[in-house]
């Protein structure tokens, strides 16, 4: 019997060849519920899932037990420095003085404090930061992606409330995008995966 005919091997740079321009249009009509028809039919997860395309250390534990068992995640963060741009002590505080659940809780509250139009800008900026259509094209479109994130997953976990107040009331959208960029880039791969998992 003749052996099966295999397709020719893909070139090493096939990802670059196949790369498509990023399509921002699915976030343009934030008031149009018709986008809901294009959403993937996925059950809503109780906790953010980590996308497969993000490298994930095999030894990395799931975040839920840590939130439930440790008191360090509930430590008051009143000593957090003010957010100052372009640079400031706040970024070091975020990475070195806060636990992973506290970092996630902070990003959730910053997101929830923004209006929908700002959230669209945040998503577009995040897509530019990622720079990988294979990941960004999996981000949901339509109204669902712009809703408030559920804070109950990190119930009891502290965050710098003054950061959220300043972010909400005093910062222009351009500065808010910079804050989100700095926070996202400071995360490790597992934490970035958690952030992206809430958007897919």
């Amino acid at each position: 019997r003749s052996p099966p005919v295999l397709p020719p091997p893909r070139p090493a740079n096939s990802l670059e060849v196949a790369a498509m321009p990023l399509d921002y249009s699915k976030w343009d009509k934030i008031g149009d519920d018709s986008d809901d028809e294009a959403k993937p039919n996925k059950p809503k997860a109780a906790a953010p899932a980590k996308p497969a395309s993000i490298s994930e250390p095999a030894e990395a534990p799931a975040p839920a037990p840590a939130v439930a068992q440790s008191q360090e995640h509930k430590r008051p963060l009143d000593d957090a420095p003010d957010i100052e741009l372009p640079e400031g002590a706040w970024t070091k505080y975020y990475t070195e003085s806060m636990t992973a659940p506290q970092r996630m809780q902070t990003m959730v509250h910053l997101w929830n404090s923004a209006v929908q139009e700002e959230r669209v800008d945040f998503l577009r900026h995040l897509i530019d930061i990622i720079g990988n259509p294979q990941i960004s094209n999996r981000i949901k479109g339509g109204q669902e992606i712009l809703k408030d994130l559920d804070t109950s997953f990190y119930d009891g976990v502290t965050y710098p409330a003054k950061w959220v107040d300043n972010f909400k009331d005093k910062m222009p959208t351009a500065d808010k995008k910079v804050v989100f960029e700095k926070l996202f880039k400071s995360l490790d791969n597992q934490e970035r995966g958690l952030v992206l998992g809430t958007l897919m």
Side-chain angles (χ1 to χ4, degrees):
R1 196 165 58 170
S2 300
V5 178
L6 299 176
R10 297 177 65 182
N13 62 347
S14 59
L15 285 179
E16 297 177 8
V17 174
M20 298 293 291
L22 293 176
D23 179 12
Y24 294 114
S25 62
K26 59 184 177 181
W27 303 290
D28 283 343
K29 300 178 183 177
I30 61 173
D32 185 358
D33 289 334
S34 64
D35 283 347
D36 290 346
E37 298 174 3
K39 293 179 200 166
N41 188 16
K42 293 183 182 176
K44 199 165 189 177
K50 199 185 300 183
S53 49
I54 297 295
S55 60
E56 39 192 288
E59 71 279 8
V67 175
Q69 296 172 9
S70 177
Q71 290 299 312
E72 67 177 331
H73 309 311
K74 301 179 180 182
R75 179 183 71 83
L77 300 174
D78 301 330
D79 59 338
D82 292 335
I83 294 178
E84 297 176 352
L85 297 175
E87 301 297 336
W90 64 280
T91 54
K92 182 176 181 181
Y93 183 91
Y94 182 75
T95 56
E96 297 182 9
S97 300
M98 295 170 63
T99 65
Q102 287 173 328
R103 289 192 287 272
M104 295 298 102
Q105 180 79 307
T106 299
M107 294 196 77
V108 166
H109 280 275
L110 291 176
W111 171 270
N112 288 353
S113 74
V115 298
Q116 283 197 339
E117 289 79 4
E118 290 176 326
R119 295 176 187 181
V120 172
D121 286 337
F122 298 162
L123 281 172
R124 289 181 170 181
H125 193 52
L126 178 61
I127 288 169
D128 290 336
I129 293 170
I130 295 169
N132 184 345
Q134 287 188 322
I135 296 175
S136 57
N137 287 341
R138 293 170 55 196
I139 295 177
K140 293 179 289 191
Q143 286 291 103
E144 182 181 352
I145 192 61
L146 301 176
K147 292 180 180 177
D148 283 357
L149 297 175
D150 185 5
T151 59
S152 65
F153 181 68
Y154 297 105
D155 187 39
V157 175
T158 54
Y159 62 95
K162 68 178 179 179
W163 286 7
V164 177
D165 293 339
N166 185 45
F167 186 88
K168 178 180 180 181
D169 300 327
K170 299 179 181 179
M171 284 191 183
T173 302
D175 286 352
K176 292 180 179 182
K177 286 163 60 177
V178 174
V179 169
F180 259 110
E181 176 179 351
K182 288 184 176 294
L183 295 183
F184 182 78
K185 285 184 173 180
S186 71
L187 301 176
D188 62 26
N189 278 346
Q190 181 193 6
E191 292 167 342
R192 290 185 186 189
L194 290 173
V195 172
L196 294 174
T198 64
L199 305 175
M200 296 181 178

